[in-house]
Amino acid sequence: MSTVESSPPPNFIRTIIAEDMRTNRHGGRVATRFPPEPNGYLHIGHAKSICLNFGLAAEFGGTCNFRFDDTNPSKEDIEYVESIMYDVRWLGFDWGDRLYYASDYFEQLYGYALDLIRAGKAYVCSLSAEEIRDYRGTLTQPGKDSPYRNRSVEENLDLFRRMRAGEFKDGEHVLRAKIDMASPNLNMRDPVLYRIRRVNHHRTGDRWVIYPMYDFAHGLSDAIEGITHSICTMEYEDHRPLYDWILDQLDVPCHPQQIEFARLNLSYTVMSKRRLLQLVEKGYVRGWDDPRLPTLAGMRRRGFTPEAIRRFCELIGVGKKESTVDLALLEYCVREDLNRRAPRVMAVVRPLKMVVVNYPEDQVEWLDAVNNPEDPAMGTRKVPFSRELYIEREDFMEDPPRKFFRLAPGREVRLRYAYFVRCIDVIKDERTGEVIELRCTYDPETRGGGAPDGRQVKATLHWVSAPHAVEAEVRLYDKLFLKANPADEKNGTDFKDHINPDSLQVLQSCKVEPGLAQATPGSLYQFERLGYFCVDAVDSSPGALVFNRTVTLRDTWAKIVNAGKQKE
Ligand code: ATP
Ligand code: MG
């Protein structure tokens, strides 16, 4: 029974692999790969693919290669290469010595291209890019053969070698597969395999002026590496015949099976690197690691843990149908994880001064506070209590409506781990009328939070001792987009039209308990009653703390699940 529970949920890819293992299709081997293109930072969609590829390899005792698909140098950069490696490791996966670059195969790929030409399966075409498009036809109309389609093998070999030697201008010729201009699948209408491009490559420098197209490089890289199952997203389904065609024409070490699955989409989020790049370059966010982005770097900075992200990837499963996952599910996974690991502390983000008038002026008591009620092993700590405190501005109302049970004039509440206090006076700014200070009395008999006479209070507030408080900046994040599907750019709209202008709110002069003074970058806390927060890894320093709100405490996902259950 327990083995059933601990094994990952079934999915159709696992079923395919299990069957291949049973029939010894690849000699009992499982070899997957994760093939990012270094043209941006990894996002949570990539995490799905990483968990899937590394996860399947581990499960079947196979291997997972980490391969940079770096065949398009104009958009690629070494900064991306480095961030991608960092993020995969951070997520918890280890590729050991299995790091590869498609660019390392350029010479081999060139050799395969010569083989195709020799076999009469590829030709040098001298139409312009625009002409090639015109000749291609449409979904309803067949294409037309290029006038260069019947060049002799000798002429093609000569031209292709001279393309490589740099004898032609960019765009003057391309190498194309010779398949079928009338194929119902547009990808099979003599697709381009190589183009001339004088662009410096971050690994091969200026050694090459011709670069292979994705469809040519990808399948062959898989074959060179002995991949058995080449897992990719659904948009490559129509490319699969080309993937297979190329491998079928050539004498390759193996013929991997391409399997497509539905990419992850998240509500209120854009995922494509093209769009993320715009947000970064146009300054809508503060970089690839902005905590509002779905990038792994952004999520890490926000306080999401690798465990929470992996759990999310497990919960969403793997299928073939396009769908959009509710952002609330991701936040639910983060909460579940942080609830277990994050120590509780008290922090006041919108402070209101409270003076306890009957508390001795110079007295300080160090009270015991529980670090995590979920985990007794995390122990307790001491927090100082004194005559001057801060409470949350939202926890007081001068003229409270019926359902407001927190502090109000004349009312008594509990201060967490401390005493009952009663509000006896309200001090206001003379000019603005704003409440700037509360006067309270405390009941010394209620130390620890209970009254010996059994009287009850309706609220327990968090607080921080004013003379001991450490100042901090707190950044509250909300959804980056107001529309559930911002990438749906119908009727000439642009996804950027739906950016939430209030996605970041910065609160200065927040007050946190003194134990946080030395909090290290990246460490995670639950601010009692407010949510989970982490010390910003970039802008925070011991003298100038900055916290990011990771996620609120309110669990909308649990609500959705419960509402669903009630309906059933
Ligand atoms: P994007 O469209 O976001 O730019 P991409 O597919 O161009 O992504 P690659 O670097 O080529 O990005 O992707 C590396 C791997 O990650 C590929 O196998 C791809 O299928 C997978 N992947 C990318 N986005 C997602 C997603 N949203 N869900 C699942 N897998 C994804
Ligand atoms: Mg891509």
Side-chain angles (χ1 to χ4, degrees):
M1 240 169 73
S2 61
T3 53
V4 172
E5 269 168 21
S6 61
S7 70
N11 69 54
F12 76 97
I13 301 180
R14 177 175 295 115
T15 308
I16 292 173
I17 296 181
E19 180 62 12
D20 288 348
M21 291 296 271
R22 201 183 60 78
T23 59
N24 208 30
R25 178 161 173 212
H26 302 278
R29 278 189 320 121
V30 174
T32 59
R33 84 287 172 266
F34 172 63
E37 185 183 352
N39 61 352
Y41 279 57
L42 295 184
H43 51 62
I44 183 104
H46 293 113
K48 176 177 179 177
S49 172
I50 295 166
C51 291
L52 182 62
N53 281 295
F54 279 93
L56 287 169
E59 191 185 332
F60 288 97
T63 52
C64 180
N65 289 359
F66 182 1
R67 182 201 316 145
F68 282 104
D69 223 328
D70 55 349
T71 55
N72 183 8
S74 54
K75 290 182 177 169
E76 296 165 6
D77 197 280
I78 192 78
E79 177 198 347
Y80 299 138
V81 171
E82 280 162 9
S83 78
I84 290 170
M85 292 204 267
Y86 189 91
D87 288 348
V88 173
R89 257 190 223 112
W90 175 76
L91 195 57
F93 296 96
D94 181 6
W95 55 86
D97 57 1
R98 305 190 149 272
L99 175 62
Y100 302 94
Y101 293 85
S103 56
D104 286 351
Y105 308 138
F106 279 171
E107 193 63 52
Q108 255 170 299
L109 296 174
Y110 176 77
Y112 280 126
L114 292 176
D115 288 347
L116 271 189
I117 295 173
R118 285 190 202 102
K121 301 288 185 179
Y123 62 98
V124 172
C125 180
S126 311
L127 293 176
S128 68
E130 205 180 317
E131 287 166 327
I132 289 179
R133 220 174 305 124
D134 289 344
Y135 274 66
R136 201 165 173 233
T138 64
L139 282 172
T140 49
Q141 283 184 322
K144 266 194 311 188
D145 284 1
S146 160
Y148 305 99
R149 200 171 196 262
N150 292 316
R151 275 178 166 153
S152 68
V153 168
E154 288 66 35
E155 193 184 357
N156 282 321
L157 284 174
D158 175 60
L159 284 170
F160 188 53
R161 287 191 178 115
R162 288 165 60 198
M163 279 169 66
R164 175 184 182 166
E167 288 186 25
F168 306 112
K169 292 198 294 287
D170 286 18
E172 207 174 328
H173 306 286
V174 292
L175 183 73
R176 298 177 70 176
K178 193 170 181 175
I179 310 179
D180 179 7
M181 288 307 291
S183 170
N185 183 339
L186 290 162
N187 295 304
M188 299 297 272
R189 293 185 188 169
D190 292 10
V192 172
L193 305 179
Y194 267 91
R195 62 235 190 284
I196 305 172
R197 242 187 215 185
R198 283 176 178 72
V199 190
N200 183 276
H201 186 285
H202 54 100
R203 281 178 67 82
T204 59
D206 294 322
R207 228 172 304 147
W208 292 88
V209 296
I210 55 171
Y211 289 100
M213 299 298 286
Y214 175 88
D215 283 322
F216 185 70
H218 194 79
L220 286 169
S221 302
D222 283 346
I224 290 168
E225 292 176 14
I227 300 301
T228 56
H229 300 85
S230 175
I231 301 167
C232 61
T233 41
M234 286 310 292
E235 67 272 24
Y236 290 101
E237 193 174 30
D238 290 347
H239 295 239
R240 186 172 1 112
L242 178 56
Y243 183 101
D244 289 331
W245 183 90
I246 291 170
L247 296 183
D248 285 340
Q249 311 311 311
L250 291 164
D251 183 18
V252 286
C254 79
H255 189 140
Q257 178 183 3
Q258 176 178 306
I259 306 171
E260 309 87 19
F261 70 99
R263 62 171 48 233
L264 166 66
N265 301 301
L266 258 190
S267 61
Y268 300 98
T269 307
V270 297
M271 206 85 93
S272 84
K273 284 181 279 189
R274 179 177 65 81
R275 292 198 176 92
L276 294 174
L277 183 66
Q278 282 185 56
L279 293 175
V280 172
E281 285 191 335
K282 300 201 162 131
Y284 289 95
V285 294
R286 299 173 173 182
W288 283 100
D289 65 351
D290 189 294
R292 290 166 292 183
L293 291 182
T295 53
L296 296 183
M299 291 185 170
R300 173 169 58 243
R301 194 170 166 192
R302 173 108 170 224
F304 288 18
T305 58
E307 291 82 356
I309 295 172
R310 294 202 306 261
R311 173 77 181 131
F312 171 75
C313 291
E314 194 178 306
L315 283 181
I316 56 176
V318 180
K320 278 204 167 270
K321 220 178 95 210
E322 272 293 311
S323 69
T324 299
V325 176
D326 198 320
L327 190 56
L329 178 62
L330 177 58
E331 296 188 342
Y332 162 81
C333 295
V334 172
R335 260 181 219 110
E336 289 273 286
D337 187 44
L338 297 192
N339 184 38
R340 256 179 288 134
R341 70 170 75 221
R344 275 57 170 167
V345 293
M346 292 199 284
V348 173
V349 296
R350 294 181 183 87
L352 174 61
K353 184 86 157 278
M354 171 189 279
V355 179
V356 186
V357 294
N358 59 338
Y359 195 84
E361 288 232 9
D362 297 321
Q363 183 170 313
V364 176
E365 285 173 279
W366 290 82
L367 306 170
D368 287 318
V370 175
N371 286 335
N372 188 347
E374 300 286 322
D375 182 5
M378 285 171 75
T380 59
R381 69 190 184 285
K382 299 278 188 192
V383 291
F385 184 85
S386 69
R387 190 171 190 268
E388 296 198 359
L389 312 168
Y390 291 109
I391 65 160
E392 208 66 59
R393 196 163 271 280
E394 280 185 359
D395 282 336
F396 173 81
M397 281 186 91
E398 198 179 8
D399 190 13
R402 238 164 42 92
K403 292 237 165 118
F404 185 87
F405 299 117
R406 291 168 268 167
L407 199 58
R411 201 180 275 180
E412 188 173 51
V413 295
R414 177 188 293 111
L415 294 182
R416 181 99 158 124
Y417 304 120
Y419 296 99
F420 285 11
V421 291
R422 185 182 300 281
C423 177
I424 56 163
D425 201 4
V426 178
I427 316 282
K428 293 183 186 172
D429 182 305
E430 276 176 17
R431 280 179 306 118
T432 62
E434 188 196 12
V435 175
I436 51 172
E437 189 179 305
L438 303 178
R439 295 286 161 94
C440 294
T441 55
Y442 86 115
D443 176 355
E445 296 293 309
T446 58
R447 184 174 158 139
D453 63 6
R455 81 180 184 277
Q456 298 293 318
V457 288
K458 287 217 169 103
T460 301
L461 310 187
H462 63 275
W463 52 274
V464 174
S465 165
H468 301 90
V470 174
E471 294 239 334
E473 175 180 314
V474 170
R475 299 174 181 172
L476 305 178
Y477 301 98
D478 198 354
K479 297 183 172 82
L480 187 53
F481 292 94
L482 294 168
K483 195 174 159 205
N485 181 8
D488 172 29
E489 293 177 317
K490 281 204 206 89
N491 309 321
T493 60
D494 182 285
F495 76 101
K496 297 190 291 305
D497 299 340
H498 307 292
I499 288 185
N500 175 7
D502 301 317
S503 61
L504 170 61
Q505 197 184 348
V506 180
L507 304 177
Q508 304 286 352
S509 306
C510 305
K511 313 288 181 182
V512 303
E513 58 175 76
L516 292 184
Q518 301 304 322
T520 50
S523 45
L524 291 152
Y525 298 93
Q526 185 193 100
F527 287 1
E528 290 210 32
R529 300 175 64 229
L530 298 178
Y532 294 98
F533 291 75
C534 82
V535 181
D536 189 78
V538 178
D539 296 333
S540 192
S541 61
L545 287 174
V546 178
F547 287 92
N548 296 313
R549 183 172 68 196
T550 307
V551 65
T552 56
L553 289 178
R554 200 172 38 121
D555 194 341
T556 48
W557 182 257
K559 261 197 221 157
I560 293 167
V561 172
N562 290 334
K565 275 188 194 138
Q566 275 157 18
K567 260 189 247 154
E568 277 165 18

